[in-house]
């Protein structure tokens, strides 16, 4: 799991969301990885942090879908 989360960093996911990519397929394509690889990384982060994690000045939601709290308000 460490290799997966090293390749797919939290900042990478946040960056993709800030650029307007919202589905797992869009984020994975933007990052140049498979959707399954991205899903595995998100699952690893969910197990480590729970339903959300603070990244910089934002909150990355990990359930029920990946999203930035600031973009939902």
């Amino acid at each position: 799991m460490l290799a997966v989360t090293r390749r797919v960093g939290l900042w990478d996911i946040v960056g993709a969301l800030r650029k307007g990519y919202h589905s797992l397929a869009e984020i994975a394509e933007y990052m140049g990885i498979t959707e399954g690889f991205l899903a595995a990384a998100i699952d690893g982060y969910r197990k480590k942090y729970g339903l959300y994690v603070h990244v910089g000045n934002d909150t990355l939601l990990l359930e029920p879908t990946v999203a930035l709290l600031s973009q939902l308000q």
Side-chain angles (χ1 to χ4, degrees):
M1 184 54 58
L2 182 60
V4 172
T5 55
R6 279 191 178 169
R7 172 64 178 96
V8 182
L10 290 170
W11 283 103
D12 298 320
I13 297 169
V14 168
L17 290 166
R18 286 183 178 159
K19 288 185 180 202
Y21 301 101
H22 297 288
S23 72
L24 290 184
E26 291 173 335
I27 296 169
E29 184 176 339
Y30 167 75
M31 296 176 71
I33 58 175
T34 66
E35 193 173 342
F37 197 83
L38 177 60
I42 292 168
D43 186 54
Y45 287 128
R46 190 179 304 116
K47 288 177 182 172
K48 182 175 182 177
Y49 297 112
L51 300 180
Y52 63 91
V53 60
H54 296 287
V55 181
N57 294 328
D58 215 333
T59 301
L60 177 63
L61 305 176
L62 301 169
E63 276 284 331
T65 187
V66 176
L68 290 175
L69 184 60
S70 64
Q71 292 180 342
L72 299 177
Q73 298 175 344

